[in-house]
Each structure stands twice: as C-alpha cells, then as structure tokens.
Amino acid sequence: MDFSPLGDLLTNPLFLLRVGFVAVLYLVILQVVRVSRLEMKRAAVAPAGATRAKQVVGYLVVIDSGSTPLIPGQRIAIEPLTTIGRSPTNTIVLDSTFVSTEHTRIIFRDRSLWVDDMSSRNGTLLNQNPLTKETAVSPGMILQVGDVRFKFAAP
C-alpha cells in the first residue's frame, strides 16, 4: 500500500490550517453547549417568578386623578427610590400633559420618606405649598404632581 497522497496532505499547510480551524470550531460549539446546559440547570433550580420582590416603604393614595386614568382611592406602592413622571422609565407613570417627563422623586432615607421636585415645568405641591427643596413627609400629607393629588399612607 502506498500512502504517499496522505503524506502529501499532512505536509500541506493549507490542509493543516483547515483541520485546525474545524477543531477550534468544534471546541467552541462544545463550550456553548456546556454553558447552555449549566444555565438550564440553574433555571430549573430557581422557582418560577423568583424575581426580587419590591420593597414597599409606603403608599400613595389617589385623591384626585386629574386627567389620568387613575382611580380615586387607589393605593400605589412607594419603593425606596420612586420617581413620578410621564416617561415610561419612571416608577409611577402619569399620562398627563400637566406632568413633566421626570417630575418628582420620593426617597426613603433615615427611616423617612423625602420628596423632591426634579425641576418640573409645573412644580410639585406638598400640602398646597410649592416644593422648593427636598422635604421629609409623613402619612396624611398631600402631594400634588401636575393635576394629580395623592395622600401619603404608611405601609
């Protein structure tokens, strides 16, 4: 038996390059399969809906819904950092022309809720007074954002 054509192939640099490329491709595919299997195992171990629960530090109760579809008496949860505005990136979205894109911010700090106007066009009112600086709030206080009025309530 004469194996000289095989010997010629093994000394051909282009053939060796092709074989090396195919080997690397197989290694990449094997790595993708391994990582996918690990991720699938992790997903199977985690219970369904195991997303991080939102921490509620208080509520806003709708007093006057203004031009929004909110319902008076509706309770809206306040998270440690809650933003209110017209943009869909806000925690509480108010679809009203009287509300700025990013209107008001509520922060939970030092075991208290603090409200701050984010340079909104129509301003933010707290107990019917314009909000000029970050102010601590307590249950029962009235917050007006655009044409919508809320009352703060304890969790």
Side-chain angles (χ1 to χ4, degrees):
M1 290 184 131
D2 185 19
F3 292 108
S4 64
L6 184 60
D8 290 341
L9 278 177
L10 292 177
T11 58
N12 184 348
L14 188 58
F15 176 74
L16 293 174
L17 189 61
R18 286 181 183 168
V19 169
F21 179 72
V22 169
V24 168
L25 233 128
Y26 274 111
L27 289 173
V28 168
I29 290 171
L30 287 173
Q31 184 69 11
V32 168
V33 168
R34 186 182 75 77
V35 168
S36 296
R37 289 184 71 197
L38 285 173
E39 288 298 319
M40 289 172 63
K41 283 182 183 177
R42 276 191 207 138
V45 170
T51 57
R52 183 178 59 87
K54 294 180 181 176
Q55 181 185 2
V56 176
V57 294
Y59 291 95
L60 288 174
V61 179
V62 179
I63 295 173
D64 181 3
S65 60
S67 59
T68 68
L70 294 173
I71 301 165
Q74 180 179 356
R75 288 168 51 105
I76 301 171
I78 300 173
E79 298 174 19
L81 175 59
T82 300
T83 56
I84 303 173
R86 211 172 54 241
S87 171
T89 58
N90 288 294
T91 314
I92 300 171
V93 178
L94 299 177
D95 189 18
S96 170
T97 56
F98 297 102
V99 177
S100 296
T101 306
E102 293 177 338
H103 200 105
T104 304
R105 176 177 51 205
I106 303 171
I107 301 169
F108 182 68
R109 184 179 64 230
D110 301 329
R111 301 181 69 193
S112 296
L113 288 173
W114 295 77
V115 180
D116 193 18
D117 182 70
M118 297 174 69
S119 302
S120 63
R121 182 181 65 231
N122 293 324
T124 301
L125 301 178
L126 187 60
N127 288 338
Q128 298 185 349
N129 296 314
L131 197 60
T132 56
K133 63 179 181 171
E134 191 174 82
T135 306
V137 295
S138 56
M141 296 180 91
I142 307 295
L143 176 71
Q144 183 169 339
V145 178
D147 61 343
V148 183
R149 291 186 324 132
F150 301 98
K151 179 169 47 172
F152 282 94

